């Protein structure tokens, strides 16, 4: 249902008679309810209503056929498609369906006439349409001889004429309709129903019991609308006068220009124009670009310096000559020097360094080469952004960085058109202008955090032209309106999450993954970069006995005070420790006790050795917030050590299986497991059931014992298929009560046939196992290639055993020795079935 049509004004003009005749005394207490949007019908008023809901169509057809009364009630929220009792106002009117019309566009319109008022008590049915319990609300009619009533109703008609005459929203025929209604109450209800009052205000008028009080409320609302229309008219008159003044100024300016042309006025050039011409002479731009510059310079000459357009044109030309057209820095292609700089600034990152050196090598042989579009992908804090500075230093190029995090406007990339006030070039060209070279190292930081498809365009799609080597040789900025060559720019994007980057944009970049640092790499980074930097930042570098961090101290900070893939938190912890040391050294230098300054250590003398040991860290950094699991032995059946990869490195995890008497056929999984890991547990159990005879397991155990698999640290979500062989071994150990080989860990996915599949994160998992004291690791045969890529220093002390199926895993991992006090699986005597 929609708002009533303007044709209602002509229809109401024929209404005459006593309104009391429309209000029957025997109104039913149960009627169909027609919910309407933005319409409040008053007694006696005829109005067309457009029918859109199927349920409402059934209601009006039945009411017209049976000539029955219906209830019309307005919705509180017009956007609700299927309103219920709480979505309707509690006050409405009885109504009759006078006629049903089908419009040429297929819409159905019904003409209804309001009768007496009703109060909606309750909705008792919602199918096939709303039906409600209602009660009739009587109205207090005015005395026909009341002079105040007569005067007020005449004033209402006059105010209605005044409003209709100044309003553009109501047709003039409404004025005729109001004067043609002889019944004063009907005239009042007509005004209340059709004047542009809010639905809330109309409902308030409908609820008023006294018709005379309703008249005064309608006059108050109508007077407010008249004043509002007068205010709008005043505002329109003011803006029309302002526009006339602007037109007058424009014509005067045109006359001044014509007079200057007739007088052949030739004054001296402005300093700004002279500076533009001097800069243009030094530019190495193409002929087409020079033609555009000359044309735009002529526009500047023809514009009065007093005109607002003069500064806009001047800013454009200054941007034009400020760009480094054809200006390139000379690359230093000494590969040994570049390798030295990259190794000096960053530890590890061999793939990125190798790719940059390959680019430099090809560039040295060919002499001219389009720059690659690289995307460094990895967790925060691994040095993606800072690597760009090192690459720029290695090649002796200019360095510029542009942060894309939260970018939501396409104009930030391509610039604004000059037709807009305050227009400017995009950040790409502004950064090139800042670099002063057309071949800088350009870092597009956080490209995965660009907002996509906003009301201001799609910035991610705008980047397609920038990062496409086939297109960026003619990059078009909306402000510059001239193609600019970006093909020599070395774009390096950084991202934490590839899933948020659109596929077309991802396809244009060469993805280089930077995995998180392992503990050994973090130790080297701390020694080479972080500790020297923080010694200088805290002023401890100037001391003769400056503090020294041993390998054990650094490792404890990494393992017990940080949880990250990068080294940002590690740097903060080192800085915190050095600030404490600097504070104590400063107090010691003044021969004061710490207690003179800090009440927490009032009886402590400062005595801080230059070489720190792990025991002193708690005094500097407090209690460790983290810890890593260590191997817990093989004394329990069903407990197997697995290996897991996390965003902050590898971890060991324990799979625990326990059995309890019950009805069997029940597998319980706990430990905050994801769907994939749950499926691995189901696969493992089914495989054990299918091969129970090979393990010497009585199959009747599965019918009388429940199995519970748990992975500790339940607050930490866990998922992935790599725990498949670990779960299968845990179940087998629990059912056979056999010990698992000591100091053994494993990782690998399983299939329903028992085949072991390869998994990822091998390097991180091996280092986690090594830290936990693991000596033997079971892996899929296909993971052997990953082991060969890991330096030997990380593999020392660990033996690898490659398997192809679960039987190979069991043959190695399960010993023939039973655990102490093994569980005896009792089978009820009445279960006489035999194992097949």
């Amino acid at each position: 249902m929609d708002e009533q049509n303007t044709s209602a004004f002509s229809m109401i003009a024929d209404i005459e008679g006593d309104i009391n005749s429309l209000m029957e005394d025997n109104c039913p207490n149960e009627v169909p309810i027609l919910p309407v949007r933005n319409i409040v019908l008053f007694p006696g008023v005829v109005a067309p209503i457009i029918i859109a809901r199927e349920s409402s169509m059934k209601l009006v057809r039945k009411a017209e056929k049976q000539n029955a009364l219906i209830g019309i009630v307005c919705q509180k929220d017009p956007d609700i498609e299927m309103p219920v009792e709480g979505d309707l106002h509690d006050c409405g009117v009885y109504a009759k369906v006078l006629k049903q019309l089908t419009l040429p566009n297929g819409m159905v319109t019904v003409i209804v006439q309001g009768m007496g008022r009703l109060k909606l008590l309750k909705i008792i049915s919602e199918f096939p349409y709303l039906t409600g319990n209602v009660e009739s609300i009587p109205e207090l009619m005015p005395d026909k001889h009341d002079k105040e009533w007569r005067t007020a109703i005449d004033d209402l008609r006059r105010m209605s004429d005044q409003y209709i005459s100044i309003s553009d929203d109501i047709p003039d025929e409404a004025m005729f309709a109001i004067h043609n209604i002889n019944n004063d109450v009907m005239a009042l209800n007509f005004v209340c129903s059709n004047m542009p009052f809010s639905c809330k205000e109309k409902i308030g008028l409908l609820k008023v019991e006294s018709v005379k009080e309703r008249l005064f409320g309608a006059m108050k609302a109508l007077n407010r609308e008249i004043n509002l229309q007068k205010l709008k008219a005043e505002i329109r008159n003011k803006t029309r006068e302002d526009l006339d003044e602007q037109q007058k100024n424009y014509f005067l300016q045109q006359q001044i220009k014509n007079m200057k042309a007739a007088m052949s006025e030739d004054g001296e050039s402005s300093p700004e124009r002279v500076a533009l011409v001097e800069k243009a002479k030094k530019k190495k731009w193409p002929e087409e670009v020079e033609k555009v510059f000359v044309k735009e310079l002529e526009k500047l000459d023809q514009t009065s310096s007093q005109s607002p357009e003069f500064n806009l044109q001047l800013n454009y030309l200054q941007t034009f000559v400020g760009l480094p057209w054809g200006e390139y820095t000379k690359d230093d292609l000494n590969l040994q020097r570049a390798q030295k700089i990259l190794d000096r600034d960053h530890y590890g990152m061999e793939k990125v360094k190798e790719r940059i050196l390959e680019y430099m090598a090809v560039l040295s042989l060919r002499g001219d080469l389009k720059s690659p579009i690289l995307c460094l992908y990895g967790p925060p804090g691994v040095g993606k952004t800072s690597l760009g500075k090192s690459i720029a230093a290695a090649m002796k190029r200019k360095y510029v960085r542009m942060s894309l995090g939260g970018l939501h406007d396409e104009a930030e990339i391509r610039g604004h058109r000059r037709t807009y006030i305050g227009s400017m070039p995009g950040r790409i060209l502004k950064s090139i202008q800042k670099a002063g070279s057309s071949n800088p190292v350009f870092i597009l930081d956080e490209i995965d955090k660009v907002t996509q498809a906003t009301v201001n365009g799609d910035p991610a799609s705008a980047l397609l032209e920038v990062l496409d080597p086939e297109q960026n040789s003619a990059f078009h900025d909306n402000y510059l309106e001239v193609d600019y060559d970006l093909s020599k720019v070395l774009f390096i994007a950084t991202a934490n999450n590839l899933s948020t980057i659109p596929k077309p944009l991802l396809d244009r970049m060469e993805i280089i993954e930077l995995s998180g640092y392992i503990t050994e790499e973090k130790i080297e980074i701390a020694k080479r970069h972080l500790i020297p930097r923080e010694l200088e930042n805290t002023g401890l570098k100037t001391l003769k006995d400056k503090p020294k961090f041993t390998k054990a101290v650094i490792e404890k900070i990494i393992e017990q005070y940080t949880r990250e893939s990068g080294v940002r938190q590690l740097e903060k912890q080192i800085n915190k420790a050095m600030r404490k040391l600097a504070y104590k050294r400063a107090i010691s230098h003044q021969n004061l006790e710490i207690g003179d300054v800090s009440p927490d250590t009032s009886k402590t003398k400062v005595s801080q050795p230059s070489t720190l040991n792990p025991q002193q860290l708690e005094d500097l950094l407090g209690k460790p917030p983290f810890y890593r699991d260590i191997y817990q032995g093989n004394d329990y059946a069903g407990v197997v050590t697995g290996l897991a990869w996390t965003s902050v490195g590898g971890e060991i995890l324990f799979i625990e299986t326990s059995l309890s008497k019950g009805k069997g056929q029940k597998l319980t999984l706990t430990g905050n497991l994801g769907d994939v890991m749950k499926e691995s547990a189901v696969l493992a159990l089914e495989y054990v059931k299918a091969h129970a005879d090979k393990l010497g397991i009585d199959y009747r155990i599965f019918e009388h014992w429940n199995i519970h698999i748990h992975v500790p640290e339940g607050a930490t979500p866990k998922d992935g298929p790599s725990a498949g062989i670990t779960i299968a071994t845990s179940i087998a150990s629990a059912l056979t009560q056999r010990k698992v080989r000591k100091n053994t860990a494993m990782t690998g996915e399983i299939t329903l046939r028992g085949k072991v599949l390869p998994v990822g994160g091998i390097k991180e998992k091996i280092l986690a196992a090594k830290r936990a004291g693991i000596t033997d690791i079971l892996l899929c045969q296909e993971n052997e290639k990953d082991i060969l890529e890991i330096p030997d220093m990380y593999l020392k002390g660990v033996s690898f055993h490659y398997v192809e199926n679960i039987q190979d895993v069991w043959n190695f991992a399960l010993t023939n020795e039973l655990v102490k006090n093994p569980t005896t699986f009792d089978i009820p005597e009445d279960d006489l079935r035999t194992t097949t």
Side-chain angles (χ1 to χ4, degrees), residues 378-379 382 514-518 521-522 565-566 645 647 649 763-764:
V382 297
L514 299 181
S515 59
Y517 295 117
I518 58 179
E521 291 174 334
K522 290 181 181 180
S565 299
W645 178 92
S647 61
K763 180 180 178 182
E764 290 82 359

Side-chain angles (χ1 to χ4, degrees), residues 309-546:
E309 295 181 0
F310 180 84
N311 287 328
L312 297 177
Q313 187 70 10
L314 179 62
N315 290 338
Y316 171 75
L317 289 171
Q318 288 175 341
T319 302
F320 204 96
V321 299
L323 289 169
W325 299 91
E327 299 177 23
Y328 305 98
T329 55
K330 185 177 180 181
D331 293 332
D332 187 336
L333 303 178
N334 187 326
L335 299 182
Q336 293 181 347
R337 174 183 172 276
Q339 178 79 59
K340 185 177 180 181
I341 292 176
L342 293 175
D343 290 339
R344 179 198 67 191
D345 295 343
H346 291 82
Y347 181 80
M349 299 187 177
E350 303 302 332
K351 291 184 179 179
V352 187
K353 296 175 182 178
E354 183 180 355
R355 182 64 183 87
I356 297 301
L357 293 175
E358 289 172 356
Y359 167 69
M360 295 175 63
V362 175
L363 189 60
S364 64
L365 294 175
R366 182 171 174 174
D368 183 21
L369 182 67
K370 288 184 178 181
S371 297
I373 311 295
L374 306 180
C375 179
L376 307 183
Y377 153 63
V382 297
K384 299 184 296 295
T385 304
S386 61
L387 184 62
K389 290 185 178 180
S390 299
I391 295 173
M395 300 181 67
K396 289 189 176 179
R397 286 192 179 188
K398 298 293 182 66
Y399 168 81
V400 65
R401 171 183 168 273
M402 174 180 170
S403 177
L404 299 176
L407 189 71
H408 64 279
D409 191 349
E410 179 185 343
E412 292 284 323
I413 305 295
R414 288 201 177 114
H416 305 79
R417 299 189 182 279
R418 283 194 289 159
T419 53
Y420 297 105
I421 297 176
S423 58
M424 61 181 67
R427 291 173 62 185
I428 297 291
L429 286 190
K430 287 171 71 176
S431 299
I432 295 293
Q433 184 177 3
K434 178 182 176 182
S437 165
S438 292
N439 65 335
V441 174
F442 201 125
I443 301 297
L444 296 171
D445 210 7
E446 310 290 358
I447 196 171
D448 57 325
K449 297 175 180 61
V450 176
T451 307
Q452 301 178 33
T454 68
V455 294
N456 297 319
D458 190 352
S461 298
L463 285 171
L464 294 176
E465 182 182 4
V466 178
L467 300 181
D468 191 340
E470 301 301 324
Q471 299 182 41
N472 63 10
S473 59
F475 173 69
H476 184 83
D477 186 277
N478 292 331
Y479 179 81
L480 195 65
E481 294 183 333
V482 180
D483 291 342
Y484 194 88
D485 186 6
L486 298 177
S487 61
K488 301 297 188 297
V489 178
L490 178 55
F491 285 105
I492 300 178
T494 69
N496 301 127
N497 186 4
L498 295 182
S499 63
T500 59
I501 303 177
K503 295 298 181 183
L505 184 59
L506 197 63
D507 184 60
R508 284 164 168 77
M509 299 185 292
E510 181 178 343
I511 308 298
I512 300 178
E513 183 177 0
L514 299 181
S515 59
Y517 295 117
I518 58 179
T519 300
E520 287 74 6
E521 291 174 334
K522 290 181 181 180
I523 292 174
E524 289 298 323
I525 293 172
K527 287 181 177 179
R528 299 185 185 187
H529 303 287
L530 304 183
I531 293 176
R533 185 191 306 163
E534 295 306 324
L535 282 172
E536 185 172 353
N537 291 341
T538 55
L540 296 174
K541 185 178 181 180
T542 58
L543 300 179
K544 293 181 180 180
D545 57 341
K546 55 187 177 185

Side-chain angles (χ1 to χ4, degrees), residues 21 46 125 169 222 310 323 349 377 415 424 609 649 677 685 759:
S21 63
V46 176
S125 174
D169 300 327
L222 188 57
F310 180 84
L323 289 169
M349 299 187 177
Y377 153 63
M424 61 181 67
M677 199 167 182
L685 178 58
V759 294

Side-chain angles (χ1 to χ4, degrees), residues 146-164:
D146 187 346
K147 293 184 178 179
E148 186 179 29
W149 160 259
R150 297 296 308 165
T151 304
I153 197 69
D154 292 338
D155 196 35
L156 177 67
R157 284 189 168 94
R158 182 189 57 78
M159 292 172 64
S160 299
D161 293 347
Q162 182 181 359
Y163 178 81
I164 294 171

Side-chain angles (χ1 to χ4, degrees), residues 620-638:
L620 300 174
L621 300 179
K623 295 291 182 181
F626 306 110
Y627 70 95
R628 289 192 182 272
D629 291 325
I630 60 175
Y631 180 69
Q632 297 180 354
N634 64 342
D635 296 331
Y636 299 95

Side-chain angles (χ1 to χ4, degrees), residues 131-151:
T131 304
N133 278 337
V134 298
E135 67 177 9
S136 177
I137 306 176
E139 290 191 315
L140 183 60
M141 292 295 177
D143 186 359
K144 295 182 179 180
H145 304 290
D146 187 346
K147 293 184 178 179
E148 186 179 29
W149 160 259
R150 297 296 308 165
T151 304

